[in-house]
Amino acid sequence: MHKNRFTLDLRVPGRTEYLSLVGSIAECVAQRLDHYRGDREALAFHLNVVVTEAVGNAIRHGLSEHQQSRVRLCIEVRGDELIIEVHDRGQGFDLCSLSEACPDDLDEGGRGLFLMRSLMDSVSYRRTRAGNVLEMRKRLR
Amino acid sequence: MHKNRFTLDLRVPGRTEYLSLVGSIAECVAQRLDHYRGDREALAFHLNVVVTEAVGNAIRHGLSEHQQSRVRLCIEVRGDELIIEVHDRGQGFDLCSLSEACPDDLDEGGRGLFLMRSLMDSVSYRRTRAGNVLEMRKRLR
Amino acid sequence: MNVEIDQSDARSVLRLNEERIDAHNAGELKNSLLNALEDGCRLLIVDLAAVHFIDSSGLGALLSGYKNANLRQARFVLTGLQARVRSMFELTRLHRVFEIAEHVGDVVVNP
Amino acid sequence: MNVEIDQSDARSVLRLNEERIDAHNAGELKNSLLNALEDGCRLLIVDLAAVHFIDSSGLGALLSGYKNANLRQARFVLTGLQARVRSMFELTRLHRVFEIAEHVGDVVVNP
Ligand SMILES: Nc1ncnc2c1ncn2[C@@H]1O[C@H](COP(=O)(O)OP(=O)(O)O)[C@@H](O)[C@H]1O
Ligand SMILES: Nc1ncnc2c1ncn2[C@@H]1O[C@H](COP(=O)(O)OP(=O)(O)O)[C@@H](O)[C@H]1O
């Protein structure tokens, strides 16, 4: 795969049965980053996790009733940076108001964003006119 | 994966370095067709082949200079039918004028469509205002 | 969700025959765990040996089982964690919450 | 394209260290084959043992090597075909065109 450029733009129906597919597509991408010097198996697993969490959130929290319920996932490599975007069309939420800490031991929910923040270098969420975008970045060393 | 419905809509840059990725995504899809009773390994391999050939043709023959050079691949399962579409924006060609026979032993090219026709139940190519679409179908038994 | 339950007086073993636990099947996992506990078992061993991947909703389902077991004063033990699955417990620090054993056979029934 | 060439008086062995041959690297494969033949070898063995996947452009590159070898009256032999790769030769009937042997060691040098 070309050293410094890669983009993939994927749309799947907003249903949880697609999570395993998007997760394994993310793994495929990591396996093909020929120039990545780190542990490619670990990277593949981590991308599977963060994509599963982010697309899962877009499905659970981010679907609008008016729009066709599809989720858009973009994976891009620019130079040594990996950028993952998950687009949703829901109400959106305020990422900054969520604590960055690990949820309490016995909370059943709330570990998705914690995992994304732990495994990626940065996570942001922005509302645009065309919908909301969760963006995760990671420097590939 | 849900028994009778599945859709995936993928856009990648029109460069041959993406062929291995689209091929392995097609394999992922086949591996996840839980309800397919046939040989899933063989199906996965055959989808890898036909997607590689069709996307390869869209890249080699079907890119327009004016458009952003991306290739769109859709994979859909409807009932027991698998439908693969590859969209291009080039000049197009007349599929019917191509012989269905296997090319001569020593011809270096011309085996892509022969393989697609051999491994799928039907192959068609249509020009639309928005571009051209190669469509391949296969009944999943 | 493909689960296999092996019940005896002393313990129930719930074997999860799924490669992947995520938001698609975590709800079913939660229900399977509650059903097993409602049957009145004193020790529920959940064997994850077949599981390659678990996401946060899968962890949440296991936590729900764990809390329900606590309420009923039943013991709840996880076994067979593969490396990737174990790392998810470690990342979320849940390895300190759950009782985890290597194999089903390692769980001493009346400690 | 990662190829390894092992040359002796009697034969050259070109080992293809690529899992996949498709339109992305078929052109390079074609050039590697032509270079090996231009070096004047009488028998070129192309070992595909590492190759999991080959598409029509990969087959075309091998055909180009085969034809070039014929022109030079050199022998051209393929070895190490995995099941999927072999099935591509069979689907396109090219298994009848190429000389194919199981292992490099099976190729008798002066037949
Ligand atoms: N795409 C989204 N749209 C709207 N709200 C979201 C989205 N993603 C996350 N959230 C909000 O952030 C919270 C925390 O998300 P997360 O850490 O993934 O845990 P969980 O989804 O298990 O609650 C969610 O409960 C939800 O309120
Ligand atoms: N997407 C396409 N756009 C334009 N022409 C095409 C396209 N796909 C195939 N063709 C034409 O059909 C011919 C046969 O294609 P194929 O059997 O795949 O063999 P090859 O690509 O090796 O020539 C090509 O040479 C080309 O002229």
Side-chain angles (χ1 to χ4, degrees):
Chain A
M1 193 166 284
H2 191 280
K3 191 165 183 169
N4 291 317
R5 287 232 45 193
F6 171 83
T7 48
L8 179 143
D9 186 339
L10 181 78
R11 274 152 246 248
V12 292
R15 295 206 306 274
T16 53
E17 66 219 70
Y18 287 88
L19 289 174
S20 69
L21 181 70
V22 294
S24 47
I25 287 173
E27 292 220 16
C28 281
V29 171
Q31 300 290 8
R32 266 162 197 73
L33 293 172
D34 297 336
H35 297 272
Y36 179 59
R37 297 225 183 111
D39 179 344
R40 227 187 283 174
E41 271 303 313
L43 180 69
F45 169 51
H46 293 159
L47 295 191
N48 191 340
V49 172
V50 299
V51 162
T52 299
E53 297 292 345
V55 174
N57 278 350
I59 293 170
R60 265 195 315 260
H61 311 294
L63 288 184
S64 114
E65 286 148 41
H66 315 297
Q67 296 286 336
Q68 225 195 1
S69 60
R70 309 193 109 204
V71 172
R72 181 174 172 203
L73 167 70
C74 305
I75 305 181
E76 191 172 343
V77 177
R78 268 191 236 146
D80 61 354
E81 195 148 44
L82 175 82
I83 303 153
I84 298 177
E85 283 181 5
V86 176
H87 298 245
D88 76 66
R89 298 245 177 199
Q91 304 252 303
F93 74 112
D94 181 13
L95 179 59
C96 300
S97 71
L98 288 183
S99 157
E100 301 210 359
C102 190
D104 280 346
D105 284 353
L106 296 182
D107 281 358
E108 286 171 39
R111 285 182 184 78
L113 278 159
F114 174 76
L115 283 164
M116 296 180 233
R117 282 167 164 159
S118 306
L119 297 174
M120 301 292 283
D121 295 334
S122 76
V123 181
S124 66
Y125 189 85
R126 60 179 191 273
R127 298 175 208 230
T128 72
R129 251 194 258 172
N132 310 307
V133 187
L134 178 93
E135 185 188 270
M136 302 183 271
R137 289 173 175 259
K138 190 180 181 79
R139 182 129 299 171
L140 301 172
R141 274 162 286 245
Chain B
M1 195 165 282
H2 190 282
K3 191 168 180 167
N4 292 317
R5 288 230 45 193
F6 170 84
T7 47
L8 179 143
D9 187 339
L10 181 79
R11 273 152 246 249
V12 292
R15 294 206 306 273
T16 53
E17 66 219 69
Y18 286 88
L19 289 174
S20 69
L21 181 70
V22 294
S24 46
I25 287 172
E27 292 220 16
C28 282
V29 170
Q31 301 290 7
R32 266 161 197 74
L33 293 172
D34 297 336
H35 296 272
Y36 179 61
R37 298 225 182 109
D39 179 342
R40 227 186 284 172
E41 271 303 314
L43 180 69
F45 168 50
H46 293 158
L47 296 192
N48 190 341
V49 173
V50 298
V51 162
T52 299
E53 297 292 345
V55 174
N57 277 351
I59 294 170
R60 265 195 314 257
H61 311 295
L63 288 184
S64 114
E65 286 149 42
H66 315 295
Q67 297 284 336
Q68 223 194 4
S69 60
R70 309 192 107 204
V71 173
R72 181 175 172 203
L73 167 70
C74 305
I75 305 182
E76 190 172 345
V77 177
R78 268 190 233 147
D80 61 353
E81 194 149 44
L82 175 82
I83 304 154
I84 298 177
E85 283 181 5
V86 176
H87 298 245
D88 75 67
R89 298 242 176 204
Q91 303 253 304
F93 73 112
D94 181 12
L95 179 59
C96 300
S97 72
L98 287 185
S99 157
E100 301 210 1
C102 190
D104 280 347
D105 284 353
L106 296 181
D107 280 0
E108 285 171 41
R111 286 181 184 78
L113 278 159
F114 174 76
L115 284 164
M116 297 180 231
R117 282 166 162 159
S118 306
L119 298 174
M120 302 292 282
D121 295 333
S122 76
V123 180
S124 67
Y125 189 84
R126 60 179 191 273
R127 298 174 208 230
T128 72
R129 251 193 261 172
N132 310 306
V133 186
L134 178 93
E135 184 188 88
M136 301 183 272
R137 289 173 175 257
K138 189 180 182 80
R139 182 130 298 169
L140 301 173
R141 274 162 285 245
Chain C
M1 162 128 319
N2 190 336
V3 294
E4 225 172 280
I5 303 203
D6 166 11
Q7 274 175 315
S8 70
D9 284 351
R11 59 170 192 38
S12 294
V13 179
L14 191 145
R15 213 162 259 114
L16 258 173
N17 294 327
E18 295 281 342
E19 289 194 2
R20 190 177 153 105
I21 315 284
D22 62 23
H24 188 50
N25 54 10
E28 274 180 86
L29 169 58
K30 187 167 160 171
N31 290 336
S32 303
L33 296 173
L34 298 193
N35 289 340
L37 289 161
E38 272 167 7
D39 286 352
C41 77
R42 313 296 324 130
L43 165 58
L44 179 61
I45 302 175
V46 181
D47 188 25
L48 301 172
V51 178
H52 295 330
F53 183 92
I54 190 164
D55 79 347
S56 69
S57 54
L59 297 173
L62 293 174
L63 264 174
S64 146
Y66 169 82
K67 291 193 290 185
N68 195 279
N70 276 359
L71 283 178
R72 297 167 186 272
Q73 292 169 306
R75 211 172 130 210
F76 187 92
V77 185
L78 302 176
T79 59
L81 277 63
Q82 299 190 14
R84 284 179 165 203
V85 170
R86 166 163 283 278
S87 82
M88 289 296 284
F89 283 85
E90 285 164 1
L91 277 165
T92 55
R93 291 165 223 169
L94 289 173
H95 61 301
R96 301 169 317 169
V97 172
F98 288 101
E99 182 178 346
I100 297 174
E102 196 144 348
H103 303 289
V104 173
D106 296 340
V107 183
V108 181
V109 173
N110 289 311
Chain D
M1 161 127 322
N2 189 336
V3 295
E4 225 173 279
I5 303 203
D6 166 11
Q7 274 175 317
S8 70
D9 284 352
R11 60 172 191 37
S12 295
V13 179
L14 191 145
R15 213 164 258 112
L16 258 174
N17 294 328
E18 295 282 340
E19 289 195 2
R20 191 178 153 105
I21 314 286
D22 63 23
H24 188 52
N25 53 10
E28 273 179 88
L29 169 57
K30 186 167 160 172
N31 290 336
S32 302
L33 296 173
L34 299 193
N35 289 341
L37 289 161
E38 273 168 7
D39 285 352
C41 78
R42 312 295 324 129
L43 164 59
L44 178 61
I45 302 175
V46 181
D47 188 24
L48 301 172
V51 178
H52 296 328
F53 183 93
I54 189 163
D55 79 346
S56 69
S57 55
L59 296 173
L62 292 174
L63 265 174
S64 146
Y66 169 82
K67 291 194 291 186
N68 195 277
N70 275 359
L71 282 179
R72 296 166 187 273
Q73 292 169 307
R75 212 172 130 209
F76 188 90
V77 185
L78 303 177
T79 59
L81 276 63
Q82 299 191 13
R84 285 179 163 203
V85 170
R86 166 164 283 276
S87 82
M88 290 295 284
F89 283 85
E90 285 164 1
L91 277 165
T92 55
R93 290 166 221 168
L94 289 173
H95 61 300
R96 300 169 319 169
V97 172
F98 288 101
E99 181 178 347
I100 298 175
E102 197 143 348
H103 304 288
V104 172
D106 297 340
V107 183
V108 181
V109 173
N110 288 312

